């Protein structure tokens, strides 16, 4: 096979498919919806949030008529494309939570820990073979000015009872070896790794076992409601009279204007190598096989897969004008080539090792980097979106919040500030695109210099994200 134009030779043999999918793209396991029907609950989107919504609803109300509507095929969207990092954080990390949700942080930490523990218990009880391992993670500093930030983060983790250890360069080299590492924060509590696609398929089986009915290739085109009546859910070839609706659409085109105003879709790119040899694994170390992230604003995340491939992603999140989420945007040669260069800089022992997979997934970003919840259509419709890349576990919590909201329940979850208060909206185009580019530039400058510029300081005052 020859390299396509502008495709670096290192990527010439890489298939455009997530490594989790095996040898072929996900295939449908259900038929599209046609005609008219009715349901107690319609869930729009059969990713992690949608599947957890169906599971939680049917556990609480056995016999509930639940319809799952998926615009594509289960597993083909963001939930089947991510790196498989699992975190108990509901606030995009402890440091970010301490900065943005100080009033509720104690409650959020407890709820997040309970949520992750309950996910692990459910996966075990259902016999879902998703390689879920609570191995924690390591955050590494690759620039001198990042080392004090790791020290401050270590003190914060200690204060909140996390199992964390601050490692200098020599101590870190006893665990994972890279010439780029200056220090590390080994966090053994609070998370781990999973195969996201196998998790998704396992949750689908659990939802169907409880009576939820799935219709793939059934994009929803609109919602309406007559006063006092059910919600009418319109698809391309059918209509559902729904008692309640939960929108779990992630970064994909929303059905409500309020979601479009507050959720920014960005493409997150990933590459994966061929399985590493025993000599290569020995050169790197990494006995615990935990996930690793570096500590810049624009950061990489990476891990080993069960078959010893190195998955390497992140850093170069790309926003396209007008919230463009067309599948053609997935393959971006410049982003994938940058990841290959940085992978090989991080682990020189892999400089000649083949890259076998390249792909991207959509991340649903909010201005505060935490999820966005709300209702519409007289409270009959609820939504949970905007996890900003940290939704593998938080999606279950989001599903529970959405079910609370759509049933009109006041709970500990619905009283949280982050549930009651919407994130700041993004401006309309063209200001939206310009704001994203300006912010990306400011983040890159801080990463290079260690100095927080005037734009980022102004955003901090408004409670916008980027605390790391």
């Amino acid at each position: 096979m020859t390299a396509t134009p502008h495709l670096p030779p290192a990527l010439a043999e890489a298939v455009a498919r997530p490594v989790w999918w095996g040898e072929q793209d996900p295939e449908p396991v259900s038929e599209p919806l046609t005609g008219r029907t009715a349901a107690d609950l319609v869930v729009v989107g059969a990713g992690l949030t949608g599947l957890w919504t169906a599971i939680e609803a049917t556990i609480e109300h056995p016999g509930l008529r639940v319809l799952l509507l998926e615009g594509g095929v289960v597993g083909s969207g963001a939930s089947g494309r991510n790196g498989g990092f699992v975190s108990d954080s509901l606030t995009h990390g402890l440091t970010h939570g301490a900065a943005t949700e100080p009033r509720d942080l104690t409650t959020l930490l407890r709820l997040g820990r309970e949520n992750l523990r309950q996910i692990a218990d459910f996966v075990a009880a259902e016999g879902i073979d998703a390689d879920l391992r609570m191995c924690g993670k390591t955050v590494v500093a690759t620039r001198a000015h990042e080392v004090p930030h790791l020290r401050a983060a270590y003190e914060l983790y200690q204060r909140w009872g996390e199992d964390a250890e601050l490692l200098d360069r020599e101590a870190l080299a006893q665990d994972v070896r890279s010439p780029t590492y200056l220090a590390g924060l080994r966090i053994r509590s609070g998370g781990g790794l999973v195969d996201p696609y196998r998790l998704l398929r396992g949750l689908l089986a659990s939802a169907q076992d409880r009576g939820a009915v799935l219709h793939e290739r059934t994009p929803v085109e609109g919602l309406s409601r007559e006063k006092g009546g059910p919600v009418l859910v319109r698809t391309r070839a059918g209509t559902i009279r729904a008692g309640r609706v939960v929108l779990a659409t992630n970064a994909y085109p929303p059905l409500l204007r309020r979601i479009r105003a507050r959720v920014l879709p960005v493409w997150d790119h990933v590459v994966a190598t061929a399985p590493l040899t025993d000599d290569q694994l020995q050169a790197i170390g990494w006995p615990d096989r935990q996930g690793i992230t570096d500590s810049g604003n624009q950061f990489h995340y990476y891990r080993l897969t069960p078959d010893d491939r190195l998955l390497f992603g992140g850093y170069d999140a790309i926003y396209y004008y007008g919230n463009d989420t067309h599948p053609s945007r997935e393959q971006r040669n410049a982003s994938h080539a940058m990841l290959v260069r940085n992978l090989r800089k991080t682990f020189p022992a892999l400089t000649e090792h083949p890259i076998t997979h390249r792909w991207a997934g959509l991340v649903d970003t909010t201005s505060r980097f935490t999820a966005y919840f709300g209702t519409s259509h007289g409270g009959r419709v609820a939504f949970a979106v905007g996890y900003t890349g940290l939704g593998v576990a938080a999606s279950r919590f989001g599903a529970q919040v959405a079910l609370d909201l759509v049933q009109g329940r006041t709970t500990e979850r619905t009283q949280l500030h982050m549930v009651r208060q919407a994130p700041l909206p993004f401006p309309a185009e063209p200001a939206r695109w310009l704001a994203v580019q300006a912010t990306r530039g400011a983040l890159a400058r801080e990463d290079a210099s260690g100095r927080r510029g005037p734009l980022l300081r102004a955003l901090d005052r408004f409670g916008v994200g980027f605390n790391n």
Side-chain angles (χ1 to χ4, degrees):
M1 181 185 298
T2 59
T4 58
H6 311 296
L7 184 65
L11 292 165
E13 303 295 331
V15 298
R17 181 187 306 122
V19 70
W20 310 116
W21 294 359
E23 298 301 318
Q24 63 183 24
D25 294 354
E27 296 184 345
V29 295
S30 64
E31 295 298 321
L33 177 73
T34 58
R36 296 177 179 270
T37 188
D40 298 315
L41 175 67
V42 169
V43 182
V44 182
L48 287 167
T49 301
L51 291 174
W52 279 121
T53 301
I55 290 168
E56 292 293 315
T58 50
I59 287 175
E60 184 177 359
H61 301 290
L64 195 74
R65 292 175 299 167
V66 177
L67 281 186
L68 274 163
L69 304 181
E70 168 58 42
V73 175
V74 172
S76 63
S79 293
R81 292 172 171 270
N82 61 74
F85 281 62
V86 180
S87 172
D88 66 4
S89 178
L90 305 175
T91 60
H92 211 266
L94 179 56
T95 301
H96 187 67
T100 59
E101 297 291 342
R103 289 170 291 185
D104 290 336
L105 187 58
T106 299
T107 302
L108 285 163
L109 288 174
R110 174 175 55 80
L111 291 174
R113 290 163 178 165
E114 290 173 357
N115 178 59
L116 184 58
R117 184 170 60 251
Q118 290 162 2
I119 288 172
D121 290 346
F122 184 87
V123 167
E126 295 288 297
I128 298 174
D129 180 15
D131 192 45
L132 178 61
R133 297 186 297 113
M134 296 304 176
C135 52
K137 70 174 182 178
T138 297
V139 183
V140 298
T142 60
R143 304 177 181 92
H145 63 258
E146 294 170 354
V147 176
H149 293 300
L150 278 190
R151 190 173 299 114
Y154 166 73
E155 294 169 358
L156 183 66
Y157 275 87
Q158 290 287 98
R159 190 155 63 246
W160 287 99
E162 298 289 347
D163 182 0
E165 181 182 4
L166 188 64
L167 305 173
D168 62 19
R169 189 170 195 165
E170 289 72 26
L172 182 56
Q174 298 304 308
D175 183 15
V176 186
R177 290 184 284 278
S178 168
T180 66
Y181 295 169
L182 303 179
L185 180 61
R186 178 70 171 99
I187 307 163
R188 295 184 174 85
S189 58
L193 298 171
V194 72
D195 180 321
Y197 184 69
R198 281 159 54 185
L199 174 64
L200 199 67
R201 304 304 290 197
L203 293 179
L204 174 59
S206 295
Q208 292 175 314
D209 287 345
R210 288 168 172 78
V213 176
L214 171 69
H215 291 286
E216 296 166 291
R217 297 165 292 169
T218 304
V220 174
E221 298 185 337
L223 305 171
S224 62
R225 183 188 179 216
E226 296 180 2
K227 187 174 182 180
V231 180
L232 298 181
V233 181
R234 301 188 309 278
T235 74
R236 289 178 181 173
T239 304
I240 309 105
R241 294 172 62 86
R244 300 285 189 274
V245 176
V246 169
L247 303 180
T249 50
N250 189 38
Y252 294 94
L255 291 164
L256 301 175
R257 284 193 296 270
R258 69 193 68 179
I259 296 177
R260 180 179 176 85
R262 289 177 169 84
V263 173
L264 193 80
V266 297
W267 288 96
D268 178 53
H269 297 84
V270 196
V271 296
T273 71
L276 305 189
T277 67
D278 290 343
D279 287 345
Q280 288 168 330
L281 289 168
Q282 186 174 3
I284 293 171
W286 215 340
D288 292 343
R289 301 172 69 92
Q290 74 275 20
I292 299 178
T293 69
D294 48 45
S295 50
N297 293 304
Q298 296 176 293
F299 65 94
H300 298 102
Y301 57 85
Y302 43 104
R303 57 166 293 182
L304 295 171
T305 65
D307 60 350
D308 292 334
R309 299 173 187 271
L310 176 61
L311 179 153
F312 198 90
Y315 189 87
D316 197 25
I318 301 297
Y319 171 73
Y320 291 101
Y321 188 93
N323 282 21
D324 186 356
T325 59
H326 192 274
S328 63
R329 297 297 195 182
E330 177 190 351
Q331 296 300 324
R332 187 172 187 269
N333 294 342
S335 294
H336 287 127
M338 179 273 299
L339 286 173
V340 174
R341 290 194 301 271
N342 291 348
L343 181 160
R344 291 173 172 176
K345 179 180 179 182
T346 303
F347 296 118
L350 306 183
T351 296
E352 301 300 326
H353 200 60
I355 305 298
T356 58
H357 295 76
R358 55 187 174 96
W359 74 95
L362 281 168
V363 174
D364 51 342
T365 300
T366 68
S367 60
R368 67 185 181 197
F369 275 32
T370 54
Y372 172 36
F373 309 96
T375 61
S376 70
H377 293 74
R380 294 275 185 143
V381 176
F383 56 85
V385 294
Y387 301 100
T388 316
L390 213 64
V392 172
S395 54
R396 178 178 178 270
F397 173 81
Q400 292 173 326
V401 171
L403 287 170
D404 287 342
L405 292 174
V406 83
Q407 295 179 77
R409 296 188 300 224
T410 299
T411 66
E412 184 178 37
R413 291 183 289 258
T414 64
Q415 292 302 296
L416 292 166
H417 173 261
M418 66 179 286
V419 174
R420 292 184 291 107
Q421 182 67 46
L424 291 174
F426 295 101
E429 299 289 17
R432 176 176 296 204
W433 187 87
L434 293 171
V436 171
Q437 305 316 310
T439 304
R440 279 171 52 87
L443 292 170
R445 287 190 293 274
E446 185 187 23
D447 283 342
S449 68
R451 294 188 295 274
R452 202 154 181 83
L455 175 58
L456 296 182
R457 292 198 300 270
L459 293 174
D460 290 343
R461 288 194 291 272
F462 285 98
V464 176
F466 315 123
N467 297 282
N468 52 35

